[in-house]
Amino acid sequence: MSAMSSTTTTTTISTVGLPSRRNTELALLAFAVLIPCFAYANVGLALNGEMPSGMLGYGIGLGLLAGVGHIVVRKFAKYADPLLLPLATLLNGLGLVLIWRLDQSERLANLAKNQGFKFVASAPNQLLFSAIGIGLFCAVVVFLKDHRILQRYTYISMALALILLIAPMFFPAKFGARIWITIPGLGSIQPGEFAKIILAVFFAGYLMVKRDALALASRRFMGIYLPRGRDLGPILAVWAFSILILVFETDLGTSLLFFGMFVVMLYVATERTSWIAFGLLMSAAGAVGVASFEHHVQARVDAWLDPFGGWGKSAASEQISQALMAFGSGGVFGSGWGQGYSDLIGFAANSDFILGTVGEELGLAGTMGILMIYAVIVERGVRTSLAARDPFGKLLACGLSAAFGIQVFVVAGGVMGLIPLTGMTMPFMAAGGSSVIANWALVAILIKISDTARRPAPAPAPTTDAEMTQVVRP
Amino acid sequence: MNKPVRRIAIFCGLLTLALLLRSNWLQFVQADSLKTNKHNHRVAIARYSHPRGDIIVDGKAVTGSLEVNGIDYKYRRSYTNGEMWAPVTGYSSQVFDGSQLEKLYDKILTGDDDKLFFNRTVDMFTGKAQKGGDIITTLNSKAQEAAFKGLGDKRGAVAALDPRTGKILALASTPSYDPSKIAGGGKSEEANWTTLEKDKNQPMLNRALRATYPPGSTFKVVTAAAALENGLYTDPDQRTQTPAKYVLPDSVTPLQNEGNIQCENVSMREALRISCNTVFGKISADLGNAKMKKQAEKFGFNNEVLTPVRAEKSVYPKDNRPQNAMDGIGQASNRATPLQMAMVVSAIANNGKLMEPYMVDKVRAPNLNIIETHQPKQMGQPLSAANAQKIQSMMETVVKEGTGKNGQIDTPGVTVGGKTGTAQHGVDNSGNPYAWFISYAKTDNGSPVAVAVVIEGDNETARDDIAGGALAAPIAKNVMEAVLSTSK
């Protein structure tokens, strides 16, 4: 830096940019690795009275992943936001501990046995998925030289997203929702998680081109700007698509997420509040319409309205009641790591319902802490969007952060009984490969955009023969 | 484009705020009600995570805790001689909650009660597992055994009291159930539970406290007490004004006597000895509903009794004149629990003083310190000592030379008074009759035992008044003898 500045002291645009903050990131990462390690030790001591045997391997594993991530960022995205990586690592690490803790539950093992399938510990898989996720993160940071390259793939993204979203319809439904692509022998992936990112790319590219048409050509009616009929096309198409997902894949969460993300990006691109109104109206109409005839969705709504009323009658009600009782039993300070009974939630305790374990074992304090971590990730994403210098980057960063935020709200709100439950995973924490991998990719893109946003302008090549110019200030 | 982005940031902030508010609502405002929600399994898990305190009779525990180390529960409740003691202990089940003493004293038994706070704290610092306190009952195991064995496979109940204190000495109900069969949470326990629930013999009904029966002729002692207390007659041997054929007031229906007995103008003593319906029906009619009801209420009718296990309210209702006359012989709408009739006898045997019945004598902390002792309490004085003694002498005549001969005890120094009863019920008395016997035994130190026995008859049970003496009196006798032999 100092060598560089000595040669560029006289250039017109200062290239002395913001501090890179890489050391801040490193220090935070140390905490992000240490905190889950302590949590892990805590669970082991609470459950078996001794330090867990996998302690060293786990600590080194997480540390290594974080280290690799950090080195890659330091090298290829020097000016990236310093909070995103540590926060994601912390959530990922805590999620691993929670999953491991639930793996130790005899109750869940017994439940699996009674239902006739083998109980498999999820933590080793989750560690593997986390490694793949960090791998993808590094790959994106290294190979995506500039996020604006993504703009070229606007329509390819659309096609890809469509394929990913439609594909699960041809695969058997699991647990009442058709959101998996099952490859025999290999396992299954949840394409919706990846489609979230790819769709954001498509929306950003599409809206950047069309924003003027959508924003300016409108009629004024009763004080609000109504979009022209033909401009309504895309929003109607996305809406119809969301409804299709809802109907054919019975996946309320994904359709809500996509539609929400689209409306947010449309609003940012056009700065027209009328789109928000339209979006809300249409999503409400769609949700009510589908809920009136889809049994699966109806059951979820009933379970939300009166969780304890359906006890013994509906599995959905029982599960949400169990989650509520887990939160309540945790109280303000929680029962402590490994000392709760959130495994009573049963099915999906370590995926969709993982926040229940947080609620019971870490209490209100822990739940609020975790929610705040998510909120800070979203906040960093939005800040990146604000700082981004190109409209595509702005749109993409804002869309991805909003999607992340909506997803957290939909899952956490569902588990806590604030809104009807939808089958979605808590980013980074919940067991499930697709979710972890996709969210690491999402963070990688945000890191890339923030790097570009905060990077000082490149220094012009110093030419020896050119006269140095001075800015003459009036 | 920054303005809408900032608004989106605010929107995301609002979403977060909603989640934070919700988690505060769940984990702070509603935390306690969710913690103790009836569906919350954690309550039962905590209850069985350490050995439960015991329910103790005569120095011996009739309950226990079995270490099972299950997935959910570490311990399970066990019962010694569960069927016999079920009407006292109730049950404590991992999945079906609990009942009676097990439920009422749950906090003591688990050790969570505030009174055991000091013990808990000491245990916490010395690293010992939490222990529950014990409930020491007033029951007499010999008397209970006599009652339970006596009832055998018949449907019925026995309640025995110590008239001097109100201690419950025996509380049997048959058919009974074994609480250890529903203590666990497995498939077989669930099947057992369903079987018990569906059983038309209602094995889980505590007949001694919770079933009300028409008291039949045993109610005549209450009517006699009312006659003496209200001065209708002052002497047991005074002739009553009873016509040979007595027609119920406001009615044309004659009131019949059982069999071929001579009841015209007989004394109350004689009427009680041979169980004249006409005499006591007329007394009830002469006194009127208000006075009869008042006397019955003094004995405890129309009120729930907490022993502390709740006993069903026995009833003496407001009735019209013919009904009230029938109430006087226990054959109309008045109904009584076995405990209530035992209370009636105990008040008479205790010279008019009615002691409040109770079954928990002491509550003991895990370190054997007594933390609660029940003091006997007088509930009331249904009749004067003089009148009580008059009724005693009448009841003794019943046992000596009347319908209650089966209740006689030969031990020198012991006098027994009693009254038989056979209650008809159902439409046109079509139901099987209930055989009753109520009695007390008396020594020089007052009366140590009063007992009420009821047996739900079957098709072969005789419908006359002899049934009570034949079926119920021998059981009462055995219970009294058991108490007499242990109180020496």
Side-chain angles (χ1 to χ4, degrees):
Chain A
M1 197 72 208
S2 58
M4 203 175 164
S5 50
S6 66
T7 59
T8 55
T9 36
T10 49
T11 47
T12 50
I13 302 167
S14 165
T15 54
V16 186
L18 304 158
S20 80
R21 294 271 186 232
R22 289 282 66 82
N23 292 335
T24 312
E25 181 184 83
L26 188 60
L28 287 173
L29 265 178
F31 282 107
V33 173
L34 274 178
I35 292 170
C37 283
F38 281 123
Y40 191 54
N42 243 318
V43 176
L45 288 171
L47 289 178
N48 310 314
E50 55 186 36
M51 298 290 269
S53 53
M55 179 86 194
L56 197 66
Y58 173 82
I60 292 176
L62 190 66
L64 219 60
L65 290 180
V68 169
H70 174 71
I71 290 168
V72 169
V73 171
R74 192 174 272 263
K75 185 104 179 62
F76 294 94
K78 199 175 169 201
Y79 292 94
D81 189 288
L83 283 175
L84 286 169
L85 181 63
L87 290 177
T89 308
L90 178 60
L91 287 176
N92 200 160
L94 289 175
L96 276 165
V97 176
L98 290 168
I99 292 163
W100 183 77
R101 180 256 171 278
L102 289 169
D103 279 347
Q104 314 303 307
S105 159
E106 280 181 67
R107 198 170 283 120
L108 289 178
N110 194 50
L111 182 77
K113 204 178 81 192
N114 288 345
Q115 288 174 346
F117 52 87
K118 211 167 138 259
F119 180 72
V120 207
S122 309
N125 278 336
Q126 186 71 4
L127 191 59
L128 179 70
F129 291 135
S130 307
I132 299 175
I134 299 263
L136 185 60
F137 170 86
C138 295
V140 171
V141 173
V142 172
F143 295 110
L144 185 67
K145 297 278 181 231
D146 190 316
H147 63 267
R148 275 163 292 192
I149 297 170
L150 291 172
Q151 210 176 331
R152 289 185 211 152
Y153 304 110
T154 300
Y155 291 95
I156 293 176
S157 299
M158 181 190 75
L160 194 59
L162 283 181
I163 292 169
L164 283 176
L165 285 174
I166 292 170
M169 277 186 218
F170 304 103
F171 290 90
K174 274 207 251 177
F175 318 121
R178 232 176 254 279
I179 51 176
W180 277 272
I181 296 181
T182 317
I183 305 160
L186 277 174
S188 51
I189 61 166
Q190 227 175 315
E193 293 285 348
F194 298 97
K196 174 175 73 187
I197 301 170
I198 297 169
L199 267 182
V201 171
F202 160 61
F203 289 156
Y206 172 81
L207 290 170
M208 209 197 73
V209 176
K210 300 277 182 186
R211 53 189 286 236
D212 290 338
L214 289 170
L216 301 176
S218 53
R219 284 167 303 190
R220 213 179 131 92
F221 178 71
M222 286 175 66
I224 40 170
Y225 288 95
L226 292 181
R228 287 187 305 187
R230 65 180 136 168
D231 294 330
L232 269 173
I235 193 173
L236 281 175
V238 174
W239 178 74
F241 198 70
S242 298
I243 298 288
L244 282 181
I245 293 174
L246 186 54
V247 172
F248 288 101
E249 302 179 3
T250 53
D251 186 3
L252 187 63
T254 310
S255 53
L256 199 68
L257 173 62
F258 292 157
F259 194 61
M261 180 169 78
F262 180 69
V263 172
V264 163
M265 291 174 77
L266 192 59
Y267 170 65
V268 172
T270 61
E271 304 192 21
R272 283 268 174 268
T273 322
S274 54
W275 288 118
I276 297 263
F278 262 92
L280 286 178
L281 272 178
M282 288 170 82
S283 52
V288 171
V290 173
S292 63
F293 67 89
E294 262 297 332
H295 174 72
H296 183 73
V297 178
Q298 257 169 19
R300 294 260 169 106
V301 173
D302 289 344
W304 167 62
L305 289 174
D306 186 11
F308 289 100
W311 190 273
K313 282 173 271 176
S314 128
S317 296
E318 226 162 284
Q319 203 174 23
I320 186 75
S321 319
Q322 285 287 13
L324 294 181
M325 288 188 288
F327 278 105
S329 303
V332 175
F333 297 110
S335 62
W337 285 98
Q339 296 178 55
Y341 296 96
S342 56
D343 46 3
L344 287 169
I345 295 170
F347 170 69
N350 69 1
S351 54
D352 296 15
F353 282 91
I354 196 148
L355 199 64
T357 304
V358 175
E360 176 157 9
E361 303 202 337
L362 308 184
L364 175 61
T367 312
M368 295 214 288
I370 296 284
L371 290 175
M372 285 317 291
I373 294 177
Y374 282 111
V376 172
I377 292 184
V378 174
E379 188 265 342
R380 298 314 292 182
V382 174
R383 186 165 286 257
T384 299
S385 168
L386 284 173
R389 294 170 189 154
D390 63 303
F392 177 75
K394 266 189 197 302
L395 272 175
L396 186 56
C398 185
L400 288 176
S401 326
F404 191 87
I406 293 172
Q407 181 165 356
V408 170
F409 177 76
V410 167
V411 190
V415 172
M416 293 199 284
L418 184 62
I419 56 170
L421 184 73
T422 58
M424 271 212 287
T425 52
M426 213 59 198
F428 292 114
M429 289 179 89
S434 313
S435 165
V436 170
I437 297 170
N439 282 305
W440 273 115
L442 186 150
V443 168
I445 295 175
L446 286 180
I447 287 229
K448 264 332 262 202
I449 300 175
S450 71
D451 175 50
T452 317
R454 293 176 76 243
R455 185 180 288 276
T463 46
T464 40
D465 44 67
E467 282 288 316
M468 294 208 179
T469 44
Q470 297 278 325
V471 176
V472 182
R473 289 175 198 280
Chain B
M1 258 199 255
N2 280 356
K3 202 170 103 191
V5 173
R6 282 180 211 282
R7 286 197 180 145
I8 294 300
I10 292 168
F11 167 70
C12 289
L14 288 176
L15 291 185
T16 311
L17 184 68
L19 290 178
L20 291 177
L21 287 176
R22 178 66 183 177
S23 84
N24 273 278
W25 173 252
L26 284 180
Q27 304 193 264
F28 182 70
V29 181
Q30 285 205 308
D32 283 328
S33 75
L34 284 169
K35 255 180 225 170
T36 52
N37 187 292
K38 67 178 164 159
H39 296 303
N40 199 336
H41 218 42
R42 291 165 186 81
V43 179
I45 290 175
R47 182 181 295 146
Y48 295 103
S49 62
H50 53 88
R52 204 170 155 79
D54 282 317
I55 294 173
I56 291 171
V57 176
D58 284 344
K60 271 187 243 146
V62 295
T63 57
S65 280
L66 222 64
E67 192 168 349
V68 287
N69 281 323
I71 290 172
D72 282 350
Y73 312 106
K74 204 151 176 270
Y75 290 90
R76 191 178 69 210
R77 194 55 151 170
S78 64
Y79 296 86
T80 332
N81 224 335
E83 290 207 11
M84 183 166 104
W85 291 113
V88 177
T89 56
Y91 64 87
S92 177
S93 164
Q94 292 169 347
V95 289
F96 306 112
D97 199 16
S99 71
Q100 307 208 149
L101 287 185
E102 288 273 35
K103 187 170 168 89
L104 288 169
Y105 282 92
D106 189 52
K107 287 218 155 151
I108 295 278
L109 291 165
T110 56
D112 286 334
D113 198 276
D114 289 343
K115 293 182 196 111
L116 298 175
F117 176 76
F118 182 69
N119 283 283
R120 264 204 315 276
T121 320
V122 169
D123 280 350
M124 202 170 75
F125 284 116
T126 51
K128 275 191 267 175
Q130 185 175 335
K131 264 163 76 190
D134 297 324
I135 305 300
I136 299 169
T137 66
T138 58
L139 279 104
N140 177 319
S141 54
K142 285 265 159 45
Q144 178 77 0
E145 202 179 329
F148 183 68
K149 290 220 169 116
L151 290 168
D153 51 9
K154 296 189 245 348
R155 282 201 297 186
V158 176
L161 298 170
D162 181 337
R164 298 164 301 184
T165 54
K167 282 182 179 172
I168 295 180
L169 301 172
L171 204 65
S173 170
T174 53
S176 187
Y177 66 103
D178 185 354
S180 46
K181 290 203 172 133
I182 51 169
K187 287 239 158 38
S188 65
E189 276 88 352
E190 260 171 55
N192 291 340
W193 175 266
T194 330
T195 318
L196 285 174
E197 290 263 278
K198 283 192 181 149
D199 194 331
K200 61 177 189 341
N201 284 323
Q202 293 178 282
M204 284 168 80
L205 172 67
N206 187 346
R207 292 176 164 77
L209 299 180
R210 302 271 169 90
T212 59
Y213 299 94
S217 304
T218 58
F219 195 78
K220 286 170 186 165
V221 297
V222 178
T223 312
L228 292 172
E229 281 291 292
N230 291 292
L232 183 67
Y233 298 110
T234 47
D235 191 88
D237 296 309
Q238 183 185 354
R239 293 179 77 80
T240 58
Q241 292 161 355
T242 318
K245 195 168 174 233
Y246 174 65
V247 178
L248 292 172
D250 304 342
S251 156
V252 289
T253 319
L255 180 57
Q256 304 288 351
N257 285 310
E258 296 286 347
N260 194 15
I261 50 175
Q262 175 48 247
C263 291
E264 186 177 1
N265 295 339
V266 294
S267 67
M268 281 210 292
R269 183 191 301 280
E270 177 66 4
L272 200 69
R273 186 182 76 82
I274 55 174
S275 203
C276 287
N277 288 342
T278 46
V279 175
F280 290 101
K282 183 161 181 295
I283 290 176
S284 182
D286 290 349
L287 289 170
N289 182 250
K291 282 181 182 160
M292 282 299 290
K293 184 160 172 271
K294 198 172 159 209
Q295 183 63 48
E297 279 170 0
K298 279 186 181 172
F299 277 111
F301 278 76
N302 294 344
N303 258 314
E304 275 183 359
V305 181
L306 300 175
T307 70
V309 177
R310 183 183 61 86
E312 196 64 51
K313 209 194 286 194
S314 299
V315 219
Y316 193 98
K318 238 186 188 154
D319 256 339
N320 58 24
R321 293 184 67 212
Q323 279 290 316
N324 179 59
M326 292 295 283
D327 283 330
I329 59 163
Q331 283 289 0
S333 30
N334 53 341
R335 299 179 71 88
T337 59
L339 179 76
Q340 175 60 62
M341 290 318 289
M343 284 161 69
V344 169
V345 195
S346 84
I348 291 165
N350 195 34
N351 293 335
K353 262 190 216 162
L354 175 61
M355 302 302 288
E356 190 178 63
Y358 67 99
M359 63 165 107
V360 174
D361 193 26
K362 290 181 178 110
V363 175
R364 191 168 71 183
N367 62 4
L368 306 186
N369 281 345
I370 302 296
I371 49 176
E372 211 179 284
T373 306
H374 188 278
Q375 298 300 332
K377 218 162 62 195
Q378 189 177 340
M379 255 178 108
Q381 177 97 26
L383 68 172
S384 68
N387 284 339
Q389 275 154 4
K390 284 176 195 164
I391 295 182
Q392 282 172 25
S393 84
M394 286 156 65
M395 288 174 76
E396 279 155 24
T397 311
V398 172
V399 172
K400 231 178 271 165
E401 49 206 53
T403 51
K405 283 183 186 147
N406 283 335
Q408 286 172 4
I409 292 175
D410 299 333
T411 325
V414 176
T415 42
V416 176
K419 179 71 194 91
T420 56
T422 303
Q424 311 283 353
H425 70 111
V427 180
D428 292 335
N429 295 340
S430 58
N432 293 322
Y434 298 123
W436 276 95
F437 191 73
I438 59 172
S439 66
Y440 65 88
K442 211 174 169 185
T443 64
D444 299 338
N445 305 326
S447 165
V449 58
V451 59
V453 178
V454 65
I455 288 179
E456 300 178 21
D458 48 35
N459 289 326
E460 280 121 59
T461 313
R463 282 171 181 272
D464 54 34
D465 214 50
I466 296 156
L471 291 174
I475 302 174
K477 178 190 159 184
N478 287 341
V479 172
M480 291 189 296
E481 278 182 333
V483 175
L484 288 167
S485 72
T486 47
S487 63
K488 264 172 201 164

